[in-house]
Amino acid sequence: MKEALQFLADVQCKETIEGKTYAGEWPAYMQMHKRFVMLGTRQKYRDSNSFTTSGIYNLLSEMYLTDTSLTQILPMLRASFPEIQSYATSQQYNFWKLLPPNRDLQKGPQPSPVPWVRRPTHYKLRSRYINNAANVENDADDTASGNLAGLYHYQIFGKQISLRVESDSLSDFRGASEHRLASFQLFDTYLDTLRKNRHWYNYLFNGCAHSGAYMTWLGQEEAFNKWSIVKTFGHNQIFYLKQSICYPKPYRPYIPYGTNDVDAVVNANVLAYLAQKGELASSRGTTGAHRFIYHQAVRKRWSRAGHYYPNRYHFHYAVSRALAAGDTALIPTARLMLQHLMESQRQAGSYRSRRRVNHGDELQSTTYALLALLNFRKIGLNVPQTSLNQAVKFLLNQRQRVDNKVFWRGGVYFSGGTVVRNVLYFTSDAYTTALVAQALQKYMMQENLSQSITGRD
């Protein structure tokens, strides 16, 4: 585990090269698995995004709060926290940074000054349409993760939190205490209730209409006078025309398809943040989130529960995190998930996602499954020790060694969602290594297991 932490310290970016890499982040890659319309051919580029940096920050923070002797984590947290804030607009966070546009985004004269937009740092987006579509709205997922990082930062360092406020190309900082973090009201503003629109993916694969759960995008979706799935499909058929609600507008934050969505993993991530902040009971969205999540689990929609998370075991992991944070209303869902984990573990101790997800993504799947098992066991569910032992043995056999450092090769932890959820992937050795490091810490903390992890009997 300590060798893995050394790897994370070594690969953390040390300097900023504007528009390319940023001090405090960890390497992540955005890649096309195969050719797709408007996105191009099979390719791979480094990418700066808040999801990776805040995700690793939160994993490391949880490890340190569990064991404060891991002081080598603290410099990494100090270096990455300001970088996380560069994705924030007040209390909301975006997946990507505000950067100068790669090209003109509309015909004719451009605005003066030209507004900055959200986009990948390196991935080559060519057409106006796809550049405008990449300029996405702030979202509940990154907002929950970014604010959770702020909460952990306050708990660990006991200082004011600097929230960075982005305004086109200009930024400023202002101090904020723990009480200035995003509250439940922000997430309750965007609930799946009384809407005049519905996402086709939710209609086809998730059911549970008017769930009352948290929606993904923190912005105003398009509205029909009277919604029907026929209208939705019609607008999707003409997505490239300005008359379609799917058409992105130049220099304006974009909600994909012009329609908000409900994602079970996103909902679990919001619940985890609200549980850590002590606001579960205050939020109107918790009941709907619990209902939506349970609805997916009872119908065994492991691979379809998350629009943006193609790995089926990410669902189990996300729910287990919220449960470990104190959301005990998820216990009925956890029991269903535990049954699935027991039934789907392979003879070697590993787990596999769908074959089309990075060829089953055995390493990433096993890591998520192991963390879910450990979290379920901690809250009192009956998880066999042999299942944990076998999964850990598999992960240890997958470790890579380079210059006395240990790491695990990154699997798919995020995707472009819906039609490209199995085409446009995000991977990071650092993110996967942080996940495995936390899993090993949790495993070692079980009574009388410290010797078995090192191979000493």
Side-chain angles (χ1 to χ4, degrees):
M1 183 181 70
K2 291 185 177 180
E3 291 171 307
L5 292 177
Q6 185 59 54
F7 169 79
L8 291 171
D10 289 346
V11 300
Q12 188 176 29
C13 189
K14 304 301 188 293
E15 64 176 338
T16 294
I17 303 174
E18 196 62 44
K20 296 183 180 296
T21 59
Y22 295 86
E25 71 178 11
W26 284 273
Y29 294 89
M30 179 180 178
Q31 59 192 80
M32 289 289 293
H33 176 62
K34 60 182 180 181
R35 176 185 289 275
F36 195 85
V37 61
M38 291 191 174
L39 290 174
T41 59
R42 186 184 179 102
Q43 53 191 316
K44 180 178 179 179
Y45 290 99
R46 179 156 172 169
D47 187 58
S48 298
N49 59 75
S50 67
F51 187 96
T52 307
T53 302
S54 64
I56 295 174
Y57 182 98
N58 292 335
L59 289 165
L60 293 177
S61 295
E62 290 166 5
M63 291 180 69
Y64 176 78
L65 289 168
T66 299
D67 180 3
T68 55
S69 71
L70 298 175
T71 55
Q72 66 269 47
I73 288 176
L74 296 177
M76 289 188 275
L77 299 182
R78 290 193 184 96
S80 61
F81 188 73
E83 170 58 14
I84 295 170
Q85 305 319 304
S86 71
Y87 295 87
T89 306
S90 187
Q91 297 169 335
Q92 298 183 21
Y93 288 74
N94 201 285
F95 186 79
W96 278 319
K97 289 180 178 292
L98 278 171
L99 296 169
N102 279 321
R103 55 160 297 165
D104 62 303
L105 299 184
Q106 64 185 23
K107 293 182 179 179
Q110 305 301 303
S112 181
V114 174
W116 287 22
V117 296
R118 307 286 181 175
R119 64 169 175 83
T121 44
H122 294 274
Y123 193 94
K124 304 301 182 185
L125 303 175
R126 304 203 180 277
S127 69
R128 290 192 184 100
Y129 185 101
I130 203 65
N131 273 275
N132 286 325
N135 185 25
V136 291
E137 183 63 85
N138 296 332
D139 65 272
D141 211 10
D142 289 296
T143 295
S145 185
N147 279 278
L148 184 60
L151 181 62
Y152 286 152
H153 189 82
Y154 183 82
Q155 292 174 357
I156 292 169
F157 297 105
K159 298 176 180 178
Q160 282 195 320
I161 303 161
S162 291
L163 291 183
R164 187 168 184 170
V165 183
E166 294 280 10
S167 177
D168 292 337
S169 60
L170 303 176
S171 316
D172 66 304
F173 289 85
R174 58 185 174 86
S177 70
E178 180 183 11
H179 304 291
R180 297 293 295 276
L181 295 168
S183 73
F184 67 91
Q185 286 103 330
L186 172 60
F187 302 99
D188 281 357
T189 303
Y190 303 95
L191 298 180
D192 181 29
T193 56
L194 302 176
R195 298 169 60 199
K196 296 183 178 181
N197 201 346
R198 192 178 179 205
H199 201 287
W200 62 265
Y201 190 95
N202 288 136
Y203 178 87
L204 291 177
F205 301 118
N206 298 131
C208 209
H210 311 294
S211 63
Y214 304 108
M215 295 194 293
T216 298
W217 302 99
L218 305 181
Q220 187 64 45
E221 66 181 345
E222 300 293 335
F224 294 96
N225 290 329
K226 187 176 181 180
W227 176 85
S228 73
I229 192 60
V230 174
K231 291 180 180 179
T232 291
F233 286 153
H235 279 266
N236 276 266
Q237 288 291 316
I238 59 168
F239 71 92
Y240 50 88
L241 298 179
K242 291 182 179 180
Q243 297 94 314
S244 172
I245 66 167
C246 306
Y247 195 87
K249 307 298 190 297
Y251 303 107
R252 295 185 190 176
Y254 178 62
I255 295 178
Y257 301 98
T259 306
N260 219 325
D261 63 71
V262 186
D263 181 301
V265 175
V266 173
N267 271 262
N269 291 340
V270 173
L271 291 173
Y273 167 65
L274 294 178
Q276 290 285 2
K277 197 167 185 282
E279 293 187 344
L280 274 177
S282 303
S283 174
R284 290 186 297 114
T286 55
T287 300
H290 294 146
R291 184 163 72 99
F292 185 81
I293 289 170
Y294 182 78
H295 185 86
Q296 308 314 309
V298 78
R299 286 162 177 76
K300 300 182 179 181
R301 291 177 177 145
W302 314 120
S303 297
R304 295 284 192 179
H307 294 212
Y308 308 95
Y309 298 91
N311 191 301
R312 64 176 55 147
Y313 296 103
H314 204 136
F315 185 25
H316 305 63
Y317 164 63
V319 168
S320 79
R321 283 187 71 236
L323 186 56
D327 190 353
T328 55
L330 291 168
I331 288 178
T333 299
R335 291 196 178 103
L336 295 173
M337 290 182 159
L338 178 57
Q339 181 181 353
H340 178 240
L341 289 168
M342 292 297 95
E343 293 171 352
S344 59
Q345 189 170 27
R346 296 163 67 86
Q347 187 173 0
S350 64
Y351 292 83
R352 288 179 64 86
S353 193
R354 298 171 71 193
R355 183 174 59 84
R356 63 190 304 187
V357 181
N358 200 22
H359 308 290
D361 225 348
E362 199 165 9
L363 169 58
Q364 195 79 10
S365 301
T366 305
T367 305
Y368 287 142
L370 175 59
L371 280 164
L373 289 171
L374 289 162
N375 288 333
F376 291 158
R377 188 175 197 187
K378 187 174 181 180
I379 60 96
L381 297 188
N382 184 22
V383 178
Q385 186 63 48
T386 53
S387 295
L388 300 176
N389 294 345
Q390 290 174 340
V392 168
K393 183 178 179 181
F394 174 82
L395 290 182
L396 291 177
N397 287 335
Q398 299 299 310
R399 59 189 164 186
Q400 309 291 316
R401 284 190 177 273
V402 176
D403 298 331
N404 296 320
K405 292 185 289 291
V406 169
F407 71 98
W408 282 260
R409 296 198 186 281
V412 175
Y413 62 89
F414 195 73
S415 76
T418 58
V419 295
V420 292
R421 68 196 298 270
N422 297 307
V423 176
L424 177 59
Y425 291 153
F426 292 83
T427 62
S428 167
D429 291 351
Y431 186 82
T432 299
T433 297
L435 285 169
V436 175
Q438 186 183 54
L440 295 180
Q441 183 194 44
K442 288 176 178 287
Y443 179 76
M444 287 189 293
M445 288 188 65
Q446 297 179 103
E447 190 175 3
N448 299 324
L449 284 178
S450 59
Q451 290 186 345
S452 64
I453 195 69
T454 60
R456 294 193 300 268
D457 296 321

